[in-house]
Amino acid sequence: SGSGDQVLVQARPDIAPVLAQKSDNQVSSTSVPLLKTHHKHTMKTMESEGDAPIFTLPKTATHGGKSSGHALLSALQDYSKTTASCPFNSATQQAVSNSFSLLVSLYCEDKASGPVTESRRLQSVSSWLKGVVTDDTKQAISNAKSTGDVYGAIFAALSGGDAASASSLALDAGNPRLSLMLSSTSLQAQPFCRNQLEMWHESGAQPLTPNGILRIFSIASGSIDIEKEMFRSDSASYNIDWRRRFGMLMWSRSHSHDQEVTVSSIIEQYSSDISAGLAPPATPLYCDKSHARAKATNQCILYQVLNHRADTDTPLANIISPSSHSPYFHDFSASFHLGACMTALSNSSLSYHQEDLIVDAVSSQLIGDGLWEWAVYASLCSIGSGVMSESAAFARRLRAKNIISRFYSPSTDSMAGSRRTFLQNIGIPREWFVEAHAYRSASEGDVLGMVNNLMRFSPTESMSAMEDIIIPHLLDDKDSMKKLWPFLELLRSKISDNSIECWNKPYGCGVIHKFLQLHAQVEKLSNMPFNQVEMCNVDDLFDAATELEATLSKVEDRALNKSSLPFIKLPYGFTRTPRNVVIEELVSKLSSLRMRLLAIKNGQPVSDLDHNSRIAFALPPDGLYDSSTPMGAESILRGFCGFKAMG
């Protein structure tokens, strides 16, 4: 500001809590345990030879009116158990684990008869909710007992759906009649509690009755009107969170005479109470009391999953948003799996853009944790509903392949082998790793390693590398040419019909291979006695040299300096020599071979086949100019021109 008393600070957002370091220097990730569970239950789709599969959870399918989703429900149960081992903060861990178990309760099926009835579903959700609030209920009972509030402890037990504990607490406090009444809380006991409340109200004794007793009788009668009034009059001091308050509504409605009570109707009623200011809003579990009002716009994922059952039009992206279950709003590690499960269970879906955002976020987290192999797996997962399009699958595969290209490094990563084994076991093509290794070798200046790997997946790419780098470097003398021969022999063994044209092109590897054959044959003739030379057909070798010269003359000028591998890092001692310079050297060598053959044919002595390169950059004794030329100028000019002495 103008007064200078304010400072603008830019900081990176917190993605996730600081994670513990394991003994093997690996970071403990929140995503990996859940991804392992996902992979355990996943199915492969869009498989094709040479491509990675797309992974997705089994969908809930309908056949003949009966839903078949037992495999998916098994995955949900495993997810709920797995979450306990994830290093989330406690509130997030509780919310995510409970979300998976809630999905089981909401979408559970009978293996024999298929989908369950609404009444059984209501019982299932009721049992789930009692388990969810157990810890809070026990804490509330303990707090009340520590202050001597007997009725507060009994009410706390009832608010958690634990009538047995409430009855036991009443008996321990010397209230056997209250204990008996609470132990039989049902459709028969509710009228008695309701009549008692009416008598206190009519006699004017209600204001004199302890608030704890009124709350006990109200909830035991199947009414939560007192709770609504307490929250409406003083919401700030109301000490029951939305889960227990929602449970009180559920348990009171489920014990009523209303035969139309369903999970959906209870959710709709609670939403109405929130709107009317009669019930606490469903704030996320990570929000404390002081935080809750400020975060009122963020709804707890448990409530949103429940509400989604009543209103399937609720946007799925809002439900699984990190703000619904985690204080780290950029942590999508749980959203990934919640989205995958919910799209598999219901008709709700994510747009391709939303799905890609979640997958990208999880992949980035995994890469940041040093677990790029799991980022590859996550990139190949479909967490939306419906069938992924071919173009979307291509983009996912390309993303996964790029991750491997960036991070697969056997020369620097001691775990590269185990990562590769894992990915190949799940269906990643072997060629992806060979290609990545080839270009990794290129970036590290290991040209021979690059060519060796290129041969395994792309003979065409390998031939380009040979022509641009290896051949110019090893064509200068006969000893170097002997090193070149095994490379070309191995490459020739891998040539297929698809790459034969590239092999036979002018200045292709096939032409260099023929030249080396001719060179070896002429050298052999040079070492033969004259009486044995007469038995050899020297004219055939003349014809072969002439044919090679004619082939090299067909190389087009515009292709002379074209390179398909322009970004290879050349190691020390290698030079990227222009192709026209190399062709000139080959023509020079062929001319020398023709002279040697002519000498052999005429019976004249033959010297060795070495010759002074016609393209060698020879300097006078004083250098390129004179002794006053600064040192290094010659080498600079050589590098600029791209020449290299080849003889």
Side-chain angles (χ1 to χ4, degrees), residues 581-595:
V581 174
V582 180
I583 292 175
E584 175 66 19
E585 177 69 5
L586 280 171
V587 172
S588 174
K589 287 181 179 292
L590 285 170
S591 178
S592 177
L593 290 179
R594 289 167 65 87
M595 288 188 292

Side-chain angles (χ1 to χ4, degrees), residues 234-410:
D234 189 5
S235 61
S237 61
Y238 193 73
N239 60 356
I240 298 178
D241 79 340
W242 78 267
R243 295 172 302 160
R244 280 199 290 157
R245 179 67 171 71
F246 178 80
M248 293 165 65
L249 174 63
M250 174 175 287
W251 299 315
S252 65
R253 290 284 302 275
S254 61
H255 291 157
S256 68
H257 292 279
D258 188 356
Q259 299 298 319
E260 300 300 324
V261 176
T262 63
V263 174
S264 298
S265 65
I266 294 174
I267 295 168
E268 292 171 355
Q269 178 61 55
Y270 191 78
S271 297
S272 299
D273 289 347
I274 292 176
S275 300
L278 301 176
T283 52
L285 299 185
Y286 62 83
C287 296
D288 56 25
K289 188 78 173 178
S290 60
H291 222 171
R293 303 296 176 252
K295 298 290 185 180
T297 56
N298 297 328
Q299 289 188 321
C300 178
I301 188 170
L302 301 179
Y303 178 76
Q304 294 201 69
V305 171
L306 285 166
N307 192 48
H308 183 261
R309 180 72 187 182
D311 181 9
T312 56
D313 292 333
T314 305
L316 187 55
N318 294 345
I319 299 175
I320 63 176
S321 169
S323 62
S324 68
H325 56 269
S326 173
Y328 300 95
F329 293 175
H330 303 280
D331 183 5
F332 285 85
S333 54
S335 301
F336 177 96
H337 302 279
L338 291 166
C341 291
M342 293 194 70
T343 55
L345 282 168
S346 66
N347 293 326
S348 299
S349 184
L350 296 167
S351 68
Y352 287 128
H353 176 65
Q354 292 168 339
E355 184 178 351
D356 283 345
L357 284 178
I358 295 173
V359 170
D360 279 346
V362 172
S363 298
S364 297
Q365 287 178 241
L366 289 163
I367 290 173
D369 291 342
L371 299 164
W372 61 263
E373 69 273 25
W374 282 105
V376 172
Y377 173 76
S379 297
L380 294 170
C381 291
S382 172
I383 61 173
S385 61
V387 179
M388 181 179 287
S389 65
E390 288 292 340
S391 59
F394 175 81
R396 291 294 191 86
R397 291 182 178 118
L398 182 61
R399 182 184 306 162
K401 189 175 183 180
N402 287 340
I403 294 174
I404 293 176
S405 297
R406 287 174 58 195
F407 297 105
Y408 178 63
S409 177

Side-chain angles (χ1 to χ4, degrees), residues 500-514:
I500 190 65
E501 183 178 352
C502 184
W503 173 264
N504 290 328
K505 69 181 180 182
Y507 187 66
C509 289
V511 172
I512 305 302
H513 185 265
K514 290 179 180 179

